[in-house]
């Protein structure tokens, strides 16, 4: 693999919600590149545009202007079927609100991305159980999401995002419901996933306790990236 190959390239991204007086400019021109093998964190105040940017990178929201190329794909050149297939195969999401399917058990939730990609049911369930073990949830495989604590639901959502070994993993506040120990455990798992060649991770967080896991941190404010620093040393680096 070429060193420093680019997994995600955003250029001049803008996004607004609503119209007229009710219009909110959520992104005001975002330039950002994420390399393969990199764990990039997006940080910034509430409302600064982190989830909006993550949603565009993940292909679940369209920008108004600018370009976003993800794993050599520009979603604007793909039709709805191609987009869905690309997302299903190549991207793992952890949503801020988990989005677990309430009528499926924990193990069934985790197996969903494999089933979507055509893995036989038995193989999918076996791999899902293995992933749950890695997240200390083996004993809760048959529970429904509503029977779990917030932290447990969060870990199920992360297990589901990783199960099909996607090349890009995007996580919105993955440690917000976890205590220090569980948060570190999850970040160690995510960090390990990011170090697989040909893979990249983007993590939105408010949680300064996990900054040490980042390769770089992009600081957002009012729809802009105002600074990019190194995760551990906090030195400024080029965008
Ligand atoms: N669906 C929507 N409709 C209208 N405005 C929206 C919508 N989603 C987000 N916004 C607005 O866009 C701006 C950016 O929101 P976004 O959710 O991206 O922020 P955030 O940085 O993720 O915040 P938080 O840390 O609270 O999750 C905010 O002003 C928000 O009110
Ligand atoms: Mg958000």
């Amino acid at each position: 693999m070429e060193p420093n190959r680019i997994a995600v390239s955003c250029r001049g991204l803008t996004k607004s919600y609503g119209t007229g007086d009710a219009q909110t400019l959520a992104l005001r021109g975002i330039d950002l590149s994420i390399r393969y093998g990199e764990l990039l964190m997006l940080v910034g105040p509430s409302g600064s545009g982190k989830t909006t940017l993550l949603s565009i990178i993940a292909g679940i929201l369209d920008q108004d202007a600018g370009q976003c190329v993800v794993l050599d794909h520009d979603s604007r050149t793909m039709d709805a079927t191609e987009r869905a297939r690309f997302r299903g195969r190549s991207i793992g999401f952890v949503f801020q609100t988990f989005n677990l399917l309430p009528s499926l058990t924990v193990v069934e939730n985790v197996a969903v991305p494999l089933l979507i990609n055509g893995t036989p049911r038995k193989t999918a369930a076996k791999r899902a159980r293995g992933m749950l073990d890695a997240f200390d949830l083996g004993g809760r495989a048959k529970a429904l999401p509503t029977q779990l604590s917030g932290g447990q639901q969060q870990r199920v959502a992360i297990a589901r995002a990783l199960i099909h070994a996607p090349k890009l993993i995007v996580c919105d506040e993955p440690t917000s419901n976890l205590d220090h120990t569980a948060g570190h455990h999850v970040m160690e798992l995510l960090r390990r996933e990011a170090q697989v060649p040909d893979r990249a991770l983007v993590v939105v967080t408010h949680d300064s306790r996990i900054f040490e896991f980042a390769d770089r941190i992009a600081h957002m404010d009012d729809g802009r990236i105002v600074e990019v620093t190194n995760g551990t040393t906090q030195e400024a680096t080029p965008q």
Side-chain angles (χ1 to χ4, degrees):
M1 193 180 72
E2 281 171 55
N4 293 333
R5 222 156 47 88
I6 299 299
V8 176
S9 169
C10 302
R11 292 286 165 258
L13 283 188
T14 65
K15 177 70 186 174
S16 61
Y17 296 102
T19 51
D21 286 349
Q23 193 178 48
T24 307
L25 250 174
L27 299 182
R28 298 169 183 266
I30 297 287
D31 293 315
L32 180 68
S33 295
I34 304 163
R35 293 184 282 269
Y36 283 104
E38 180 169 56
L39 194 160
L40 181 115
M41 283 186 188
L42 278 178
V43 307
S46 181
S48 57
K50 304 180 297 295
T51 296
T52 302
L53 177 56
L54 202 67
S55 304
I56 293 172
I57 290 173
I60 50 183
L61 188 70
D62 280 330
Q63 67 269 35
D64 295 338
Q67 193 185 43
C68 184
V69 178
V70 175
L71 311 173
D72 297 322
H73 289 68
D74 182 340
S75 68
R76 288 174 313 173
T77 66
M78 294 188 271
D79 66 27
T81 313
E82 289 170 329
R83 273 185 184 216
R85 193 175 300 139
F86 171 64
R87 273 206 311 265
R89 196 179 55 230
S90 306
I91 302 180
F93 313 89
V94 179
F95 297 96
Q96 202 163 6
T97 49
F98 312 147
N99 289 13
L100 297 175
L101 298 165
S103 60
L104 298 186
T105 64
V106 162
V107 68
E108 287 166 346
N109 263 282
V110 175
V112 163
L114 292 176
L115 298 174
I116 287 174
N117 285 291
T119 306
R121 190 164 288 273
K122 264 194 173 166
T123 313
K126 192 168 167 219
R127 280 178 51 193
R129 278 194 296 272
M131 189 61 100
L132 286 172
D133 286 341
F135 281 83
D136 295 328
L137 285 164
R140 306 297 280 142
K142 298 230 167 89
L144 292 170
T146 49
Q147 296 168 326
L148 301 184
S149 71
Q152 288 171 331
Q153 290 182 41
Q154 188 148 36
R155 281 181 284 147
V156 175
I158 295 167
R160 181 181 60 179
L162 302 181
I163 188 83
H164 56 310
K167 286 190 169 184
L168 176 67
I169 299 163
V170 300
C171 306
D172 206 345
E173 303 278 2
T175 60
S176 58
N177 283 277
L178 304 179
D179 62 29
H180 184 71
T181 309
H184 263 246
H185 180 54
V186 158
M187 286 312 299
E188 274 161 13
L189 286 166
L190 289 174
R191 167 92 247 145
R192 212 171 61 206
E193 295 293 329
Q195 284 164 343
V196 174
D198 273 349
R199 183 172 286 173
L201 254 101
V202 192
V203 173
V204 166
T205 190
H206 280 105
D207 185 355
S208 59
R209 296 172 308 176
I210 66 167
F211 286 179
E212 65 183 280
F213 292 94
D215 293 308
R216 288 186 306 149
I217 303 178
H219 301 259
M220 292 190 70
D221 193 19
D222 195 19
R224 292 192 177 86
I225 291 175
V226 290
E227 192 183 17
V228 180
T229 55
N230 281 334
T232 42
T233 60
Q234 295 285 306
E235 284 168 12
T237 59
Q239 292 185 23

